[in-house]
Amino acid sequence: MKTTRTLAIGAVFAATTMLSWTTQGVASTSSIQCGETYVVKSGDTLGAIAARAYGNSKEFRAIYSVNSDLIGPNPGLIEIGMRFDIPCLNAALAPSTANADAITIEKTTEALPLPDPDTIRFVVGTDWAPFTNEDQEQGGMVVEITNVAMENADGAPNYQIDFINDWGAHLQPLISDHAYDFSLAWFRPNCDIVERLGDGSKFRCNNLGWSEPLFEQIFGYYTRTDGLRPAAHEDLMGTRICRPAGYAIFQLEEHNLVEPNVTLARPGSPAECFQGLAAGEYDVVAISSDVADGAISQLGIDSDVYFNENLSQVLTMHAVISNTHPRMEDYLDTLNSGIEKIKNSGDWFSIVRRHLVAHRAATSS
């Protein structure tokens, strides 16, 4: 049994180089062929490699996605001699392998069956394109990754994925009380510095088990091209930082970029942050690069915004389960087995690419 339902309740140094968005300082300007392996040379950056492979330095995320295990958590650091697989972005988009017939919509006014104790149950919310959105193909990128991973998981488990559009209820009480087994999808804070984190992040560190990453986002700090060029997080002290409402702030907490060290603004959307940045209301926008690209493109302010690549970091997105769940280890092993299989087979990248292409087309129109 494999279903997705909607429940409408309640609402470097010589060997390591920093990532660059331009081709300045690149060792070579010759083109790189996609579908081949590229060996990193002195002076290379991910952005410059992407520019040579695709004609667009911002496509470095595709190279990072398929080489993340090799590069590690800092996309701004690559080493001479690393061998990168260069994916082809203009290849035909592979169709979804998820079972579209498994996606159904049920109203809470209907009589629902009792939960099957042998079914692994996932809860997810909507309106977070392109990751989770019940109006998108297969419920969004992360939902499809989970769906296909569970299809391929060891033991052919029964599972279902329900949209419950009250994000605040997911961790407590839905998975804390084991009404659901997993919630999709959550960023993992740096729990090694839990004492610096806020209550929400402390809860995640102390009460959740984490799947292998479903997706990685590159998070960074955006300033005006004629403004601040921070070399370290300490340079952001005293600035006006915009982070949209509803977005976690553990990334800022990790570096003490919280009140009163900074003035933190929380408008309703990324676009409002970038509008305020362009207008001089804010000094910095703190956000992931894929979300930033969409907002910047829609506003037509590409030339006005500078990405501070030396402060970029990778955020990993996971399925989470309560660490009091009696079958936590077994369920994590099951899900992780499927994630590993679809990453090794290439299905994972196909899903990611298809959703990102669709999202880019939607946000640039």
Side-chain angles (χ1 to χ4, degrees):
M1 184 176 93
K2 304 170 179 67
T3 61
T4 302
R5 300 185 295 149
T6 297
L7 306 185
I9 69 170
V12 180
F13 12 114
T16 304
T17 56
M18 296 307 297
L19 177 68
S20 174
W21 290 91
T22 72
T23 56
Q24 294 178 354
V26 178
S28 171
T29 58
S30 61
S31 63
I32 298 172
Q33 296 300 311
C34 72
E36 298 182 357
T37 299
Y38 178 77
V39 180
V40 176
K41 300 174 179 61
S42 178
D44 276 337
T45 68
L46 279 187
I49 293 170
R52 291 166 59 193
Y54 311 122
N56 185 346
S57 61
K58 292 185 180 181
E59 299 291 2
F60 78 91
R61 289 188 298 275
I63 299 174
Y64 179 81
S65 290
V66 298
N67 297 281
S68 59
D69 289 345
L70 177 62
I71 297 171
N74 189 340
L77 297 176
I78 59 176
E79 297 181 3
I80 291 173
M82 285 181 170
R83 301 178 67 86
F84 292 161
D85 293 326
I86 307 298
C88 290
L89 302 186
N90 59 355
L93 294 173
S96 173
T97 60
N99 181 5
D101 292 337
I103 301 177
T104 60
I105 299 176
E106 298 184 27
K107 305 295 184 182
T108 53
T109 54
E110 300 173 357
L112 298 177
L114 292 173
D116 182 345
D118 295 321
T119 295
I120 300 176
R121 306 181 72 208
F122 294 81
V123 60
V124 63
T126 194
D127 292 334
W128 187 22
F131 307 111
T132 68
N133 191 327
E134 60 190 308
D135 295 328
Q136 283 181 245
E137 178 190 14
Q138 304 298 341
M141 178 202 300
V142 169
V143 175
E144 184 174 353
I145 288 171
T146 303
N147 194 348
V148 177
M150 291 299 290
E151 288 273 4
N152 287 271
D154 292 345
N158 293 330
Y159 66 92
Q160 67 185 50
I161 304 172
D162 293 351
F163 276 91
I164 294 184
N165 299 324
D166 180 359
W167 286 98
H170 288 193
L171 301 186
Q172 296 184 90
L174 293 180
I175 69 165
S176 295
D177 292 351
H178 311 163
Y180 279 86
D181 303 304
F182 285 101
S183 177
L184 300 174
W186 299 86
F187 290 114
R188 187 170 192 170
N190 181 358
C191 296
D192 292 336
I193 55 161
V194 67
E195 69 282 354
R196 296 189 202 171
L197 304 179
D199 290 344
S201 298
K202 287 178 179 176
F203 176 89
R204 299 188 201 186
C205 289
N206 294 328
N207 295 282
L208 302 179
W210 301 80
S211 73
E212 290 298 311
L214 299 167
F215 185 69
E216 287 125 346
Q217 276 191 319
I218 295 176
F219 174 88
Y221 298 87
Y222 293 78
T223 58
R224 292 184 301 278
T225 52
D226 60 353
L228 182 68
R229 298 288 181 97
H233 291 93
E234 290 79 6
D235 297 336
L236 298 175
M237 294 295 180
T239 61
R240 299 166 298 174
I241 298 179
C242 188
R243 177 79 171 147
Y247 286 57
I249 62 168
F250 64 84
Q251 311 91 326
L252 305 180
E253 294 168 346
E254 180 175 345
H255 301 288
N256 291 317
L257 297 175
V258 294
E259 303 276 3
N261 299 328
V262 300
T263 300
L264 185 60
R266 305 281 276 167
S269 70
E272 291 176 77
C273 277
F274 282 105
Q275 286 173 329
L277 179 70
E281 298 172 10
Y282 313 126
D283 303 306
V284 184
V285 177
I287 204 161
S288 64
S289 58
D290 49 354
V291 174
D293 285 352
I296 292 169
S297 177
Q298 284 188 317
L299 294 171
I301 57 172
D302 298 69
S303 62
D304 300 325
V305 178
Y306 172 77
F307 178 74
N308 293 270
E309 63 274 6
N310 50 318
L311 302 187
S312 63
Q313 67 185 96
V314 172
L315 306 180
T316 53
M317 194 181 296
H318 306 256
V320 296
I321 186 171
S322 171
N323 60 15
T324 63
H325 194 294
R327 301 185 66 181
M328 180 186 75
E329 295 294 341
D330 288 343
Y331 282 3
L332 283 173
D333 287 345
T334 296
L335 175 57
N336 289 339
S337 72
I339 295 171
E340 180 180 11
K341 287 179 182 178
I342 66 171
K343 287 188 174 182
N344 291 340
S345 70
D347 287 344
W348 177 88
F349 186 72
S350 293
I351 295 168
V352 168
R353 180 169 167 261
R354 180 161 33 79
H355 282 276
L356 290 182
V357 166
H359 182 63
R360 183 173 303 168
T363 56
S364 61
S365 58

